[in-house]
Amino acid sequence: MIEITPLALTGVFEIKPPKFGDDRGFFSETYNAQALAKAGIDLQFVQDNHSLSAAKGVLRGLHYQLPPRAQDKLVRVVSGSILDVVVDIRKSSPTFGKWLALEVSATKWNQILVPKGFAHGFLTLEENTEVMYKVTDYYSPEHDRNIRFDDPSIGIEWPFEAAAIQLSDKDRKAPLLDGADIFP
């Protein structure tokens, strides 16, 4: 039976699919729309993304897309581990600017559901970490936005010093939350 646990920010869930193993290996149904719908999570995913980060300390984020192309994301790790971080960027939300982090790993076999209205990022905790995630809308460069990972107004507690974190140029130049286009 799939385990679905609400996390500290409304709409964010940890999901643990069952994993059945024997001497040959294992089998797991990592996604089942019907099981999620029974738990009140009724989403239609349209695209799967897969990333490999060769080094420990690679940070991808904090990313999101604006409406009308906003995305829900279902994130899992197939090799290695990440610290997955979500930030509430809904200006009208009582938890606006709040964040939470969850370790997602191949060993834990867990996933995180990130709803629309949240910026999302992850930091690799191991070398050769592979992350797969489903999204509910296609990538749209016109709606693509990001926020600085080290914005002091958010105060995310990363497990590595900023100098040890590897970023893309896009993420290095991201605006602070106060200057970013966000959700109403």
Side-chain angles (χ1 to χ4, degrees):
M1 187 75 167
I2 191 167
E3 291 178 41
I4 301 171
T5 306
L7 298 178
L9 296 174
T10 301
V12 182
F13 295 91
E14 180 178 21
I15 298 172
K16 290 185 180 179
K19 191 174 186 183
F20 306 98
D22 60 25
D23 59 345
R24 301 168 297 159
F26 73 86
F27 170 82
S28 181
E29 188 175 87
T30 60
Y31 172 73
N32 183 307
Q34 190 175 40
L36 290 177
K38 284 182 182 177
I41 302 168
D42 193 11
L43 302 171
Q44 182 180 2
F45 293 103
V46 298
Q47 180 177 310
D48 282 353
N49 300 320
H50 188 149
S51 74
L52 166 68
S53 298
K56 177 180 177 178
V58 171
L59 177 66
R60 298 178 187 267
L62 302 165
H63 302 152
Y64 58 98
Q65 285 189 181
L66 291 172
R69 302 301 300 275
Q71 299 173 318
D72 302 282
K73 298 177 182 178
L74 181 60
V75 182
R76 69 187 187 101
V77 174
V78 294
S79 176
S81 61
I82 60 173
L83 182 69
D84 198 284
V85 174
V86 297
V87 179
D88 187 344
I89 57 169
R90 301 167 299 165
K91 195 91 167 158
S92 61
S93 170
T95 56
F96 173 72
K98 302 292 185 202
W99 64 277
L100 68 78
L102 178 69
E103 183 179 334
V104 180
S105 72
T107 302
K108 290 184 176 188
W109 206 246
N110 60 339
Q111 302 175 19
I112 187 168
L113 178 68
V114 182
K116 295 172 184 157
F118 288 80
H120 171 255
F122 61 84
L123 177 71
T124 58
L125 302 175
E126 299 178 45
E127 293 179 351
N128 297 312
T129 294
E130 289 188 66
V131 176
M132 297 182 72
Y133 58 99
K134 298 178 168 308
V135 293
T136 56
D137 202 348
Y138 300 101
Y139 174 69
S140 173
E142 299 83 27
H143 298 87
D144 185 40
R145 300 291 188 277
N146 62 348
I147 297 171
R148 286 280 304 189
F149 78 100
D150 59 352
D151 184 330
S153 72
I154 300 171
I156 298 169
E157 297 172 17
W158 298 103
F160 302 138
E161 294 295 320
I165 293 175
Q166 297 180 40
L167 294 166
S168 69
D169 285 340
K170 171 187 164 182
D171 291 341
R172 188 174 287 106
K173 296 174 184 174
L176 298 174
L177 179 60
D178 188 44
D181 292 334
I182 56 173
F183 287 66

